[in-house]
Amino acid sequence: MTSPGESALTVVIDQAETSFTALDDAGLVARDAHEFGAYARTGGWAFGLKVARSVRPGGQSADETPKVSAKEFAELADCSPERVMRYYKAWDRAADDGLVPQFEELAPGQEVELPDADVWLNYYVSRSSATSERGTAISEAAEAEGIRPTKALEVAENPTALRAAILADPSTARAARQALLDRVREDPELQAELARDVVRTDDLKKAVATESRSADRIGYVRQIAESGQIKTPAGQTVDAPLDVRQEAERHLSLLDELEEGEDTGEWATEAYDTMKNLVVETVEADPELRVQERRTKFYSSLQKATKAFEELTFDDAQDFYEDDMVQRLEELQQAIDSCLTALRKTTTPAE
């Protein structure tokens, strides 16, 4: 049976243990909060400092410093030496820029003022590939785009993930398309590869042909609007009437206002057909231009016919002679005689 004194002692002990446990838990919480705050303010610098003050720099022997090698530190930390060296190199680069003390100035356990957490990302590279020529190029491109090199390196090291993102997400696909267009301008080999891919894929080939036709039609309208000249069906280049040029400018402004990625095919066709009709109307409305247009067409046809006839050869006619050939040439001769007769009737001798 417990005496009153023993009961009182038990209560005191229990209260003391409870109080000690509460204080101990509060201390642990406070420590966690303190470490969290330190990391929130400094990020990787907090761990970089632990490496910098505990791992001896290259060239120093174990006799010269109480610090340990990166391998020993990694064993104590239960991680790889490569991971330790990434923190080591990050600190080294920052030290060269004067942001943090050099390794030789630090001793185990020493505290120093650390840079802002965001600055750490400019020095720390989480992947060894970043040190390769390819990795360096990717890192530089990432910095030029204003993003963290580690993000770009992660994507470059996982092309399957990149493919999945492109297939699943339209915005990623658009970004990839723009990147390819920027790259292809400076990469003839990639240009050739893409061209081969297009011509070997029927759907892409049709799409390219459609877009090319739209681009040509827009170019036709743009040329009238900007140069103020029209090209007639017979191939004459003449000044465009003011109303024709204004109509071209109106259609061009509508085309330029289309959203990026919006289909221009229908708009381009409408603008092109409108301008073509206006050009024909312009020619028909001007008697002098109309005559010149017909003269130009006649000479063009005559030149083509002359060239075609001159290309005929009869050196070995006996090998392929047929009566139909002679009949066609006789009909052609009759047609030419009719043309000559018609032209001579309209000719007025000069006085």
Side-chain angles (χ1 to χ4, degrees):
M1 186 171 179
T2 305
S3 66
E6 290 175 339
S7 298
L9 180 60
T10 300
V11 171
V12 170
I13 292 173
D14 289 342
Q15 290 176 345
E17 288 177 348
T18 301
S19 176
F20 176 79
T21 301
L23 288 173
D24 190 46
D25 288 343
L28 292 173
V29 170
R31 187 185 67 183
D32 285 347
H34 175 75
E35 291 179 354
F36 177 83
Y39 183 77
R41 289 189 302 275
T42 62
W45 294 113
F47 297 107
L49 174 60
K50 295 179 186 299
V51 172
R53 70 190 183 190
S54 299
V55 175
R56 61 174 176 263
Q60 276 195 340
S61 66
D63 296 334
E64 299 178 65
T65 176
K67 299 181 180 181
V68 299
S69 67
K71 182 179 179 182
E72 290 177 273
F73 188 88
E75 290 174 353
L76 293 170
D78 194 22
C79 69
S80 68
E82 290 77 17
R83 180 180 292 273
V84 172
M85 287 306 298
R86 287 199 287 271
Y87 280 85
Y88 182 96
K89 290 176 181 178
W91 188 276
D92 190 33
R93 285 189 282 267
D96 287 342
D97 287 348
L99 261 68
V100 293
Q102 295 287 344
F103 294 103
E104 292 80 3
E105 301 173 27
L106 297 171
Q110 183 177 346
E111 296 291 345
V112 298
E113 186 175 349
L114 297 173
D116 186 74
D118 292 340
V119 183
W120 172 255
L121 301 176
N122 297 331
Y123 295 95
Y124 178 75
V125 179
S126 63
R127 287 169 171 76
S128 57
S129 62
T131 59
S132 66
E133 183 177 348
R134 173 174 176 267
T136 300
I138 293 172
S139 297
E140 290 175 353
E143 290 173 357
E145 293 289 337
I147 63 173
R148 290 164 48 188
T150 50
K151 288 290 185 183
L153 289 165
E154 183 178 354
V155 171
E157 290 179 7
N158 198 342
T160 303
L162 175 60
R163 171 183 166 81
I166 292 173
L167 290 174
D169 179 39
S171 62
T172 302
R174 284 192 291 271
R177 176 182 62 83
Q178 188 58 56
L180 275 176
L181 287 176
D182 292 342
R183 173 66 185 269
V184 80
R185 293 187 182 97
E186 302 175 359
D187 191 337
E189 188 174 330
L190 182 58
Q191 289 177 15
E193 291 176 359
L194 286 176
R196 285 193 294 269
D197 289 338
V198 168
V199 298
R200 290 170 182 170
T201 307
D202 288 341
D203 290 343
L204 284 178
K205 189 161 56 175
K206 291 177 182 176
V208 169
T210 299
E211 290 300 320
S212 179
R213 185 164 55 251
S214 294
D216 288 343
R217 289 175 171 178
I218 294 172
Y220 176 80
V221 177
R222 188 179 301 279
Q223 188 274 333
I224 296 174
E226 294 180 353
S227 71
Q229 293 184 317
I230 57 175
K231 192 171 185 179
T232 68
Q236 298 184 84
T237 299
V238 298
D239 290 337
L242 180 60
D243 60 331
V244 173
R245 184 171 185 177
Q246 288 176 340
E247 184 67 7
E249 291 172 347
R250 186 181 73 81
H251 279 283
L252 190 61
S253 66
L254 291 174
L255 288 165
D256 289 341
E257 288 174 5
L258 293 177
E259 296 291 335
E260 184 179 357
E262 188 174 351
D263 184 15
T264 60
E266 184 178 348
W267 292 87
T269 299
E270 180 183 348
Y272 177 80
D273 290 344
T274 299
M275 298 314 302
K276 276 286 188 181
N277 291 334
L278 286 175
V279 169
V280 172
E281 291 173 6
T282 299
V283 172
E284 292 299 317
D286 186 333
E288 183 179 347
L289 181 58
R290 185 169 66 248
V291 171
Q292 183 63 33
E293 182 77 352
R294 292 174 180 175
R295 183 186 295 114
T296 302
K297 284 183 179 179
F298 182 86
Y299 272 111
S300 177
S301 298
L302 181 60
Q303 185 177 9
K304 291 177 183 177
T306 303
K307 184 177 180 181
F309 187 79
E310 289 174 346
E311 289 176 352
L312 295 176
T313 58
F314 303 93
D315 295 339
D316 53 351
Q318 68 276 5
D319 295 336
F320 56 81
Y321 170 81
E322 293 179 2
D323 291 340
D324 182 61
M325 295 178 183
V326 174
Q327 182 180 346
R328 291 191 176 214
L329 285 171
E330 289 175 344
E331 291 173 353
L332 177 60
Q333 184 179 25
Q334 293 173 5
I336 292 174
D337 288 341
S338 298
C339 287
L340 289 172
T341 300
L343 285 172
R344 283 170 181 155
K345 286 181 179 180
T346 61
T347 303
T348 302
E351 296 182 359

